[in-house]
Amino acid sequence: MALITINRPAKHNAISLDTLEELHAAVGRAADSDAVRAITITGAGEKAFASGSDLSEVLHRDFRKALEPIVQGLADRLERTPKPTIAAINGICMGGGLEVALGCDLRIATPEARFATPEGKLGIIPGGGATARLPRIVGRGWGMEMLLMGEPIDAERALSIGLVTRIVPADELLAEAQRIAEHLAGFAPFVPRTMKAMVNFGMEASLSGALMLEKYAQGALVQTDDKTEGISAFLEKRKPEFKGR
């Protein structure tokens, strides 16, 4: 597992443009490494995953700069990389920080985690993908509630609406992320990346298109050596030895 940490604890891990560059580079290195099977992103310290974009920079942002991908680009990268991505959320996860987490495939949180899209209170709207991804993840109703109201929700509420899938004690957060990564590493290498692609692209397609794409993807995987090994190991009651071919 590659662990990437948003490290600006003095500013509750607010994401500056320089921080974004570093995060892009780190995600790129992890995505390109054959040794990495999953990517986890978290925040330094116990108070925040990321409190949002650095407002001292947003204050002077003009229309031209706002049209650049900025946070949206990082979330897209996390979503599109073939490797599973995990957001390990400790504390405040708001604004641009939440949008980074929304780009991840899995989100786990501590009981102290808090989530919000407060941009409306600042005279703007989210620009990192929340208006598109949040309703797709939690549904239109809760998406509208969070986007329009801008009020924080706690970890239990986030779990109940599907924003996160697990709540774990703070001292076990990264260990849980590691357990998830090790579990994913136990699958044939083609499986997580294909599953991820099917969900992401399938949700953008019609139901019939998504179903057809699924069948072609399964058709490709049934021809792999790993399929033969996986089924044989199951029938023989042994641990499979996948080779990624």
Side-chain angles (χ1 to χ4, degrees), residues 16-18 20-21 57-73 127:
S16 66
L17 295 177
D18 287 342
L20 272 176
E21 278 192 30
E57 293 181 347
V58 179
L59 179 64
H60 304 289
R61 187 166 295 166
D62 60 14
F63 180 73
R64 183 185 298 273
K65 187 66 178 178
L67 289 180
E68 295 180 10
I70 313 181
V71 173
Q72 198 177 96

mmCIF file of all heavy atoms in Angstrom, residues 16-18 20-21 57-73 127:
data_model
loop_
_atom_site.group_PDB
_atom_site.id
_atom_site.type_symbol
_atom_site.label_atom_id
_atom_site.label_comp_id
_atom_site.label_asym_id
_atom_site.label_seq_id
_atom_site.Cartn_x
_atom_site.Cartn_y
_atom_site.Cartn_z
ATOM 1 N N SER A 16 -3.342 23.770 -0.539
ATOM 2 C CA SER A 16 -2.835 24.863 -1.357
ATOM 3 C C SER A 16 -2.527 24.342 -2.759
ATOM 4 O O SER A 16 -2.522 23.125 -3.003
ATOM 5 C CB SER A 16 -1.570 25.455 -0.743
ATOM 6 O OG SER A 16 -0.522 24.497 -0.786
ATOM 7 N N LEU A 17 -2.220 25.249 -3.678
ATOM 8 C CA LEU A 17 -1.848 24.831 -5.031
ATOM 9 C C LEU A 17 -0.552 24.038 -5.017
ATOM 10 O O LEU A 17 -0.403 23.066 -5.768
ATOM 11 C CB LEU A 17 -1.728 26.061 -5.937
ATOM 12 C CG LEU A 17 -3.031 26.831 -6.170
ATOM 13 C CD1 LEU A 17 -2.767 28.071 -7.020
ATOM 14 C CD2 LEU A 17 -4.079 25.955 -6.838
ATOM 15 N N ASP A 18 0.392 24.429 -4.154
ATOM 16 C CA ASP A 18 1.642 23.669 -4.037
ATOM 17 C C ASP A 18 1.365 22.260 -3.500
ATOM 18 O O ASP A 18 1.965 21.281 -3.956
ATOM 19 C CB ASP A 18 2.627 24.391 -3.116
ATOM 20 C CG ASP A 18 3.226 25.625 -3.768
ATOM 21 O OD1 ASP A 18 3.157 25.741 -5.010
ATOM 22 O OD2 ASP A 18 3.760 26.485 -3.036
ATOM 23 N N LEU A 20 -1.355 20.592 -3.884
ATOM 24 C CA LEU A 20 -1.976 19.831 -4.977
ATOM 25 C C LEU A 20 -0.934 19.262 -5.931
ATOM 26 O O LEU A 20 -1.038 18.119 -6.367
ATOM 27 C CB LEU A 20 -2.937 20.726 -5.758
ATOM 28 C CG LEU A 20 -4.379 20.799 -5.266
ATOM 29 C CD1 LEU A 20 -5.162 21.800 -6.093
ATOM 30 C CD2 LEU A 20 -5.045 19.432 -5.322
ATOM 31 N N GLU A 21 0.074 20.064 -6.250
ATOM 32 C CA GLU A 21 1.141 19.572 -7.127
ATOM 33 C C GLU A 21 1.835 18.370 -6.516
ATOM 34 O O GLU A 21 2.109 17.376 -7.192
ATOM 35 C CB GLU A 21 2.164 20.690 -7.392
ATOM 36 C CG GLU A 21 1.759 21.661 -8.477
ATOM 37 C CD GLU A 21 2.918 22.558 -8.887
ATOM 38 O OE1 GLU A 21 4.083 22.124 -8.799
ATOM 39 O OE2 GLU A 21 2.651 23.690 -9.278
ATOM 40 N N GLU A 57 -5.694 31.587 -0.938
ATOM 41 C CA GLU A 57 -5.470 31.549 -2.382
ATOM 42 C C GLU A 57 -6.776 31.740 -3.145
ATOM 43 O O GLU A 57 -6.811 32.421 -4.168
ATOM 44 C CB GLU A 57 -4.826 30.225 -2.773
ATOM 45 C CG GLU A 57 -3.419 30.036 -2.241
ATOM 46 C CD GLU A 57 -2.797 28.715 -2.663
ATOM 47 O OE1 GLU A 57 -3.528 27.842 -3.165
ATOM 48 O OE2 GLU A 57 -1.583 28.565 -2.490
ATOM 49 N N VAL A 58 -7.849 31.128 -2.646
ATOM 50 C CA VAL A 58 -9.145 31.248 -3.323
ATOM 51 C C VAL A 58 -9.619 32.702 -3.329
ATOM 52 O O VAL A 58 -10.276 33.154 -4.282
ATOM 53 C CB VAL A 58 -10.195 30.350 -2.639
ATOM 54 C CG1 VAL A 58 -11.554 30.482 -3.331
ATOM 55 C CG2 VAL A 58 -9.748 28.895 -2.662
ATOM 56 N N LEU A 59 -9.255 33.454 -2.305
ATOM 57 C CA LEU A 59 -9.663 34.863 -2.203
ATOM 58 C C LEU A 59 -9.266 35.647 -3.448
ATOM 59 O O LEU A 59 -10.003 36.518 -3.908
ATOM 60 C CB LEU A 59 -9.039 35.489 -0.959
ATOM 61 C CG LEU A 59 -9.330 36.971 -0.710
ATOM 62 C CD1 LEU A 59 -10.814 37.199 -0.468
ATOM 63 C CD2 LEU A 59 -8.506 37.474 0.477
ATOM 64 N N HIS A 60 -8.125 35.329 -4.033
ATOM 65 C CA HIS A 60 -7.608 36.078 -5.182
ATOM 66 C C HIS A 60 -7.751 35.295 -6.497
ATOM 67 O O HIS A 60 -7.163 35.682 -7.498
ATOM 68 C CB HIS A 60 -6.137 36.433 -4.941
ATOM 69 C CG HIS A 60 -5.905 37.198 -3.678
ATOM 70 N ND1 HIS A 60 -6.304 38.513 -3.529
ATOM 71 C CD2 HIS A 60 -5.352 36.830 -2.491
ATOM 72 C CE1 HIS A 60 -5.992 38.932 -2.311
ATOM 73 N NE2 HIS A 60 -5.419 37.938 -1.653
ATOM 74 N N ARG A 61 -8.549 34.250 -6.481
ATOM 75 C CA ARG A 61 -8.706 33.425 -7.684
ATOM 76 C C ARG A 61 -9.647 34.110 -8.664
ATOM 77 O O ARG A 61 -10.745 34.539 -8.291
ATOM 78 C CB ARG A 61 -9.236 32.047 -7.302
ATOM 79 C CG ARG A 61 -9.280 31.040 -8.445
ATOM 80 C CD ARG A 61 -9.493 29.642 -7.898
ATOM 81 N NE ARG A 61 -8.349 29.227 -7.073
ATOM 82 C CZ ARG A 61 -8.354 28.196 -6.251
ATOM 83 N NH1 ARG A 61 -9.455 27.472 -6.114
ATOM 84 N NH2 ARG A 61 -7.278 27.880 -5.563
ATOM 85 N N ASP A 62 -9.232 34.206 -9.921
ATOM 86 C CA ASP A 62 -10.083 34.829 -10.931
ATOM 87 C C ASP A 62 -10.787 33.766 -11.770
ATOM 88 O O ASP A 62 -10.599 32.565 -11.568
ATOM 89 C CB ASP A 62 -9.281 35.794 -11.819
ATOM 90 C CG ASP A 62 -8.145 35.105 -12.579
ATOM 91 O OD1 ASP A 62 -8.120 33.851 -12.640
ATOM 92 O OD2 ASP A 62 -7.273 35.813 -13.115
ATOM 93 N N PHE A 63 -11.596 34.219 -12.712
ATOM 94 C CA PHE A 63 -12.401 33.311 -13.530
ATOM 95 C C PHE A 63 -11.522 32.331 -14.315
ATOM 96 O O PHE A 63 -11.809 31.133 -14.369
ATOM 97 C CB PHE A 63 -13.272 34.124 -14.491
ATOM 98 C CG PHE A 63 -14.151 33.288 -15.385
ATOM 99 C CD1 PHE A 63 -15.270 32.642 -14.875
ATOM 100 C CD2 PHE A 63 -13.860 33.137 -16.733
ATOM 101 C CE1 PHE A 63 -16.085 31.874 -15.695
ATOM 102 C CE2 PHE A 63 -14.675 32.378 -17.558
ATOM 103 C CZ PHE A 63 -15.787 31.736 -17.030
ATOM 104 N N ARG A 64 -10.439 32.841 -14.888
ATOM 105 C CA ARG A 64 -9.556 31.990 -15.687
ATOM 106 C C ARG A 64 -8.970 30.865 -14.835
ATOM 107 O O ARG A 64 -8.953 29.701 -15.234
ATOM 108 C CB ARG A 64 -8.430 32.828 -16.304
ATOM 109 C CG ARG A 64 -7.496 32.037 -17.212
ATOM 110 C CD ARG A 64 -6.338 32.904 -17.676
ATOM 111 N NE ARG A 64 -6.818 34.023 -18.461
ATOM 112 C CZ ARG A 64 -7.040 33.981 -19.777
ATOM 113 N NH1 ARG A 64 -6.827 32.854 -20.436
ATOM 114 N NH2 ARG A 64 -7.469 35.047 -20.422
ATOM 115 N N LYS A 65 -8.503 31.202 -13.628
ATOM 116 C CA LYS A 65 -7.921 30.195 -12.746
ATOM 117 C C LYS A 65 -8.979 29.206 -12.276
ATOM 118 O O LYS A 65 -8.711 28.004 -12.155
ATOM 119 C CB LYS A 65 -7.263 30.872 -11.540
ATOM 120 C CG LYS A 65 -6.474 29.907 -10.652
ATOM 121 C CD LYS A 65 -5.260 29.348 -11.381
ATOM 122 C CE LYS A 65 -4.444 28.435 -10.506
ATOM 123 N NZ LYS A 65 -3.281 27.849 -11.228
ATOM 124 N N ALA A 66 -10.194 29.696 -12.034
ATOM 125 C CA ALA A 66 -11.267 28.822 -11.552
ATOM 126 C C ALA A 66 -11.646 27.762 -12.576
ATOM 127 O O ALA A 66 -12.160 26.697 -12.214
ATOM 128 C CB ALA A 66 -12.500 29.657 -11.185
ATOM 129 N N LEU A 67 -11.394 28.048 -13.860
ATOM 130 C CA LEU A 67 -11.729 27.084 -14.904
ATOM 131 C C LEU A 67 -10.718 25.942 -14.994
ATOM 132 O O LEU A 67 -10.979 24.935 -15.651
ATOM 133 C CB LEU A 67 -11.832 27.786 -16.263
ATOM 134 C CG LEU A 67 -13.045 28.713 -16.450
ATOM 135 C CD1 LEU A 67 -13.018 29.338 -17.836
ATOM 136 C CD2 LEU A 67 -14.351 27.961 -16.237
ATOM 137 N N GLU A 68 -9.568 26.090 -14.338
ATOM 138 C CA GLU A 68 -8.592 24.997 -14.332
ATOM 139 C C GLU A 68 -9.094 23.858 -13.440
ATOM 140 O O GLU A 68 -9.869 24.092 -12.503
ATOM 141 C CB GLU A 68 -7.241 25.510 -13.819
ATOM 142 C CG GLU A 68 -6.605 26.549 -14.736
ATOM 143 C CD GLU A 68 -5.265 27.034 -14.190
ATOM 144 O OE1 GLU A 68 -4.758 26.432 -13.223
ATOM 145 O OE2 GLU A 68 -4.746 28.029 -14.740
ATOM 146 N N PRO A 69 -8.655 22.628 -13.679
ATOM 147 C CA PRO A 69 -9.161 21.491 -12.891
ATOM 148 C C PRO A 69 -8.901 21.619 -11.394
ATOM 149 O O PRO A 69 -9.746 21.308 -10.574
ATOM 150 C CB PRO A 69 -8.416 20.292 -13.487
ATOM 151 C CG PRO A 69 -8.026 20.716 -14.841
ATOM 152 C CD PRO A 69 -7.783 22.184 -14.775
ATOM 153 N N ILE A 70 -7.735 22.083 -10.990
ATOM 154 C CA ILE A 70 -7.339 22.271 -9.590
ATOM 155 C C ILE A 70 -7.710 21.011 -8.782
ATOM 156 O O ILE A 70 -7.224 19.941 -9.067
ATOM 157 C CB ILE A 70 -7.921 23.579 -9.004
ATOM 158 C CG1 ILE A 70 -7.682 24.756 -9.980
ATOM 159 C CG2 ILE A 70 -7.280 23.918 -7.664
ATOM 160 C CD1 ILE A 70 -8.195 26.107 -9.498
ATOM 161 N N VAL A 71 -8.577 21.127 -7.759
ATOM 162 C CA VAL A 71 -8.938 19.955 -6.941
ATOM 163 C C VAL A 71 -9.647 18.906 -7.793
ATOM 164 O O VAL A 71 -9.458 17.699 -7.607
ATOM 165 C CB VAL A 71 -9.818 20.373 -5.751
ATOM 166 C CG1 VAL A 71 -10.339 19.143 -5.000
ATOM 167 C CG2 VAL A 71 -9.030 21.272 -4.792
ATOM 168 N N GLN A 72 -10.448 19.358 -8.733
ATOM 169 C CA GLN A 72 -11.178 18.421 -9.596
ATOM 170 C C GLN A 72 -10.218 17.487 -10.322
ATOM 171 O O GLN A 72 -10.488 16.301 -10.501
ATOM 172 C CB GLN A 72 -12.021 19.211 -10.599
ATOM 173 C CG GLN A 72 -13.121 18.420 -11.261
ATOM 174 C CD GLN A 72 -13.961 19.278 -12.185
ATOM 175 O OE1 GLN A 72 -13.708 19.309 -13.382
ATOM 176 N NE2 GLN A 72 -14.929 19.978 -11.639
ATOM 177 N N GLY A 73 -9.066 18.014 -10.709
ATOM 178 C CA GLY A 73 -8.085 17.203 -11.414
ATOM 179 C C GLY A 73 -7.517 16.094 -10.547
ATOM 180 O O GLY A 73 -7.297 14.968 -11.015
ATOM 181 N N GLY A 127 -15.999 23.494 -6.536
ATOM 182 C CA GLY A 127 -15.399 23.431 -7.864
ATOM 183 C C GLY A 127 -14.525 22.215 -8.058
ATOM 184 O O GLY A 127 -13.843 22.104 -9.079
#
